[in-house]
Amino acid sequence: MNLSKIPQIKHIAGNNFFLLSGPCAIEGEDMALRIAETIVGITDKLEIPYVFKGSFKKANRSRVDSFTGIGDEKALKILRKVSETFGVPTVTDIHEVSDAALAAEYVDVLQIPAFLVRQTDLVVAAAETGKVVNLKKGQFMSPESMKHAAGKVTESGNEQVMITDRGTMFGYQDLIVDFRGIPVMRQYAPLVLDVTHSLQQPNQASGVTGGRPELIGTMARAGIAAGVDGIFIETHFDPANAKSDGANMLPLDQLEGLLTRLTAIRKTVNTF
């Protein structure tokens, strides 16, 4: 897979996967810098191209009293500080057309949430900023239908587009990843597997999403073996007390071991 059209991801095709990783949401400057510093140290050692992930706001919460953010510009300035401090690109979600131009002033990659990936105005607004656009596959969409989502970006004059699979709804409260979709979507754009969100258990009666974090390693290994270009992992040094999506995040102290194993698998896959 040729990733030369995405210069923010310094990736040599066929060598190693790239990583999008960080907390679900920006909770503050100290936590963001702490997580970024740890991941940069790991990815530098393992030669994994790295993009720091953090949502500047969470607009798609189940309950009105759920955490949504610390303030848009405050969080975006933290993302910019992470980039400047560690020399890595950053990615954040956008939810409204007006978010595109705002976030583009601070980050390198604009991510379209899965629930919103069919929203043409939002996708086009992200494309028109000239930033990399990461399209989360809708939980309700087929792999084949993502061709049209990616087309909205490229037909807007922006060739810098990625697709991220984050599972498909299976009943009301579960998700599955159909690995048959990976080679399909790789025809349209570089393909990322969102390991942690694929293990969510949404629509819980409590209004707080559940998850299966004990399966993160299994899901990630399967993705690398199936040939994905990148891996998306949300991580936190204290998932139990994270303000968003703690139920399916990887503890930060487990990340190095997982990435070491994934790198070894990728080297083996490259021999075939």
Side-chain angles (χ1 to χ4, degrees):
M1 175 64 67
N2 181 9
L3 300 179
S4 62
K5 293 181 179 178
I6 305 180
Q8 287 85 344
I9 300 174
K10 296 178 175 64
H11 176 81
I12 301 174
N15 182 27
N16 208 354
F17 59 92
F18 60 89
L19 176 70
L20 283 68
S21 187
C24 177
I26 299 298
E27 301 170 10
E29 182 176 305
D30 290 344
M31 66 84 69
L33 293 173
R34 176 180 171 184
I35 293 171
E37 182 177 25
T38 299
I39 302 176
V40 167
I42 296 167
T43 53
D44 281 353
K45 180 165 62 175
L46 296 175
E47 298 183 338
I48 299 172
Y50 174 50
V51 182
F52 177 83
K53 185 270 169 184
S55 296
F56 77 95
K57 67 178 176 183
K58 300 299 296 183
N60 54 339
R61 303 290 83 191
S62 296
R63 290 171 24 175
V64 72
D65 60 344
S66 295
F67 174 80
T68 58
I70 60 173
D72 293 359
E73 291 205 48
K74 182 177 180 180
L76 287 166
K77 287 178 180 178
I78 291 171
L79 284 163
R80 182 161 62 190
K81 184 166 184 177
V82 167
S83 181
E84 293 173 347
T85 301
F86 300 106
V88 296
T90 54
V91 55
T92 198
D93 307 276
I94 62 171
H95 300 86
E96 303 177 28
V97 170
S98 60
D99 289 343
L102 173 64
E105 295 181 22
Y106 298 91
V107 303
D108 304 283
V109 184
L110 300 180
Q111 182 166 283
I112 308 298
F115 286 131
L116 300 176
V117 74
R118 283 177 55 90
Q119 298 297 105
T120 299
D121 287 351
L122 180 63
V123 174
V124 170
E128 289 179 343
T129 67
K131 298 291 184 174
V132 179
V133 180
N134 184 26
L135 302 169
K136 287 286 194 80
K137 185 185 83 67
Q139 301 94 323
F140 44 85
M141 293 174 66
S142 70
E144 291 79 6
S145 65
M146 288 304 294
K147 176 180 181 180
H148 306 295
K152 291 177 183 179
V153 179
T154 57
E155 290 168 25
S156 298
N158 187 344
E159 295 293 323
Q160 299 185 107
V161 59
M162 302 186 293
I163 297 173
T164 295
D165 192 356
R166 49 95 73 241
T168 300
M169 288 302 300
F170 185 69
Y172 288 119
Q173 295 178 322
D174 206 359
L175 296 162
I176 59 170
V177 172
D178 183 354
F179 287 92
R180 296 173 300 177
I182 289 174
V184 173
M185 290 184 283
R186 287 187 81 235
Q187 297 176 73
Y188 314 139
L191 196 281
V192 179
L193 178 61
D194 182 343
V195 176
T196 46
H197 286 105
S198 295
L199 295 169
Q200 280 185 331
Q201 294 180 314
N203 302 321
Q204 300 296 309
S206 65
V208 178
T209 298
R212 298 288 304 277
E214 71 276 11
L215 296 176
I216 288 172
T218 299
M219 186 68 71
R221 291 193 299 270
I224 295 298
V228 298
D229 300 291
I231 292 287
F232 181 112
I233 298 175
E234 287 189 341
T235 184
H236 197 287
F237 47 80
D238 186 11
N241 290 302
K243 295 184 181 296
S244 179
D245 280 3
N248 53 273
M249 278 201 277
L250 181 73
L252 186 60
D253 61 6
Q254 296 179 22
L255 183 63
E256 182 170 2
L258 175 59
L259 293 179
T260 299
R261 293 188 289 275
L262 296 182
T263 298
I265 294 171
R266 179 59 180 257
K267 288 179 180 177
T268 301
V269 169
N270 288 345
T271 65
F272 291 95

